Amino acid sequence: FMSDHYDPIPSSVIAEGLDFWNGAGDRGDAAMYLFGASRFVMTSGRRDWALELLPAIEWCAEYCRRRINEDGVIASDSDELEGRFPSGDANLCTSALAYDGYNSAAMIESVFGNPEKAAEYELLAAGLEKAIERHFGAEVGGYHTYRYFEGCEKLRSWICMPLCVGMDARARGTVAALCDDRMMRPDGVLTEEGSLTIWDRSTLYTLRGIFAAGETDKACGLFENFFSRNRVITTNGIKLTSSLYFIFNFRFVHLVKHSRIGYTFRRKNH
């Protein structure tokens, strides 16, 4: 599905790869792939996996570049909620994922001796960081945080994403907004202020973001409340615990990302 035409990645590949479903349009899938694949290979430290995935990472980086709109953020038809909740023409989650993906991809390109490509990605990441603050940064619900898309006046769970990718300019207000009674419930974070929907993935990323913002005591309290008391012992416990491992396992990428990427690749390769 990755060709020189740069069409969106399908929403779902089905029937053992023989067909696909694309009912949700472009959910920001290329940004998801760029973010996930880059972090995966850095966490693994496997040069062979990195080389195998690098063409796809570069394809996603170029696709996202082509989707930068006049406001400097990444346009998409929807997000991973596939239209269940409004996301506008460009949403915060997609742009935050692309920002982190560019930073990670730049480090991988540096390891493999591609300084020009690394510099290109670093420049794209820097531009996205400024655009995210300019376009999404807002006062919402009385908090110095982010609007999820242009015109959005309600708090949304995915405002946690800037925290997860190292953007801390609005960290205090964003943590407070996510922990507000309008968003926080005993078994998770509401997808949108005023709704009844709790999306496990955004709840887990919210926890990750609160940890990343340095609010360790608050995050640990929520962790205990969500998982020890209310969720792990329920029918959703196995699914939620598996998701928890997957999402928080990326925490280890910070060691690779900031100090050991080249060493790790070389050590694993030998």
Side-chain angles (χ1 to χ4, degrees):
F1 300 103
M2 295 178 177
S3 72
D4 293 340
H5 297 293
Y6 286 97
D7 295 322
I9 300 173
S11 302
S12 299
V13 178
I14 61 175
E16 298 182 350
L18 298 177
D19 201 356
F20 66 90
W21 176 78
N22 202 29
D26 179 8
R27 306 175 304 174
D29 297 88
M32 298 178 199
Y33 197 117
L34 176 63
F35 167 82
S38 297
R39 285 200 170 219
F40 169 74
V41 297
M42 289 203 303
T43 303
S44 73
R46 290 281 299 268
R47 291 180 69 94
D48 54 338
W49 291 355
L51 285 170
E52 182 179 353
L53 286 171
L54 190 54
I57 289 170
E58 292 177 344
W59 186 94
C60 289
E62 174 60 18
Y63 178 90
C64 289
R65 186 192 67 77
R66 293 176 180 224
R67 296 290 289 170
I68 295 175
N69 65 16
E70 61 184 9
D71 296 308
V73 295
I74 311 295
S76 62
D77 298 324
S78 62
D79 59 6
E80 56 98 29
L81 287 165
E82 299 177 345
R84 295 176 180 89
F85 286 81
S87 59
D89 297 325
N91 65 77
L92 176 62
C93 186
T94 296
S95 289
L97 289 170
Y99 162 79
D100 190 84
Y102 280 128
N103 278 325
S104 297
M107 296 177 191
I108 296 170
E109 296 285 5
S110 294
V111 167
F112 288 111
N114 301 320
E116 295 84 5
K117 184 71 73 173
E120 175 189 345
Y121 292 162
E122 288 171 355
L123 188 62
L124 285 164
L128 262 179
E129 183 175 20
K130 292 177 181 177
I132 286 170
E133 172 60 28
R134 183 174 61 249
H135 185 71
F136 295 111
E139 301 294 317
V140 182
Y143 292 105
H144 186 66
T145 182
Y146 301 91
R147 60 182 183 177
Y148 190 56
F149 57 90
E150 185 176 12
C152 182
E153 297 180 353
K154 293 183 178 181
L155 295 172
R156 294 286 293 268
S157 58
W158 282 119
I159 61 173
C160 67
M161 280 308 301
L163 306 181
C164 295
V165 299
M167 296 181 183
D168 57 7
R170 295 173 180 265
R172 180 174 297 182
T174 301
V175 170
L178 290 164
C179 294
D180 189 286
D181 290 342
R182 288 172 287 178
M183 293 296 290
M184 192 65 66
R185 292 292 183 269
D187 50 352
V189 182
L190 291 175
T191 296
E192 180 181 78
E193 172 189 354
S195 74
L196 298 175
T197 302
I198 291 173
W199 204 248
D200 285 347
R201 186 177 295 113
S202 59
T203 291
L204 293 168
Y205 270 96
T206 292
L207 274 177
R208 178 180 168 184
I210 295 173
F211 272 116
E215 298 280 358
T216 307
D217 291 341
K218 187 184 297 290
C220 285
L222 292 169
F223 182 91
E224 180 182 5
N225 186 56
F226 291 158
F227 305 114
S228 297
R229 298 175 184 170
N230 296 316
R231 297 302 299 275
V232 173
I233 59 174
T234 69
T235 54
N236 281 331
I238 294 176
K239 179 187 75 171
L240 195 65
T241 304
S242 298
S243 298
L244 181 70
Y245 173 80
F246 174 76
I247 289 174
F248 277 86
N249 191 44
F250 280 141
R251 178 180 177 85
F252 296 111
V253 83
H254 278 288
L255 289 175
V256 179
K257 208 173 165 186
H258 293 294
S259 63
R260 300 187 61 188
I261 179 170
Y263 169 74
T264 304
F265 276 150
R266 288 193 295 272
R267 180 171 57 82
K268 292 286 187 178
N269 194 42
H270 292 305

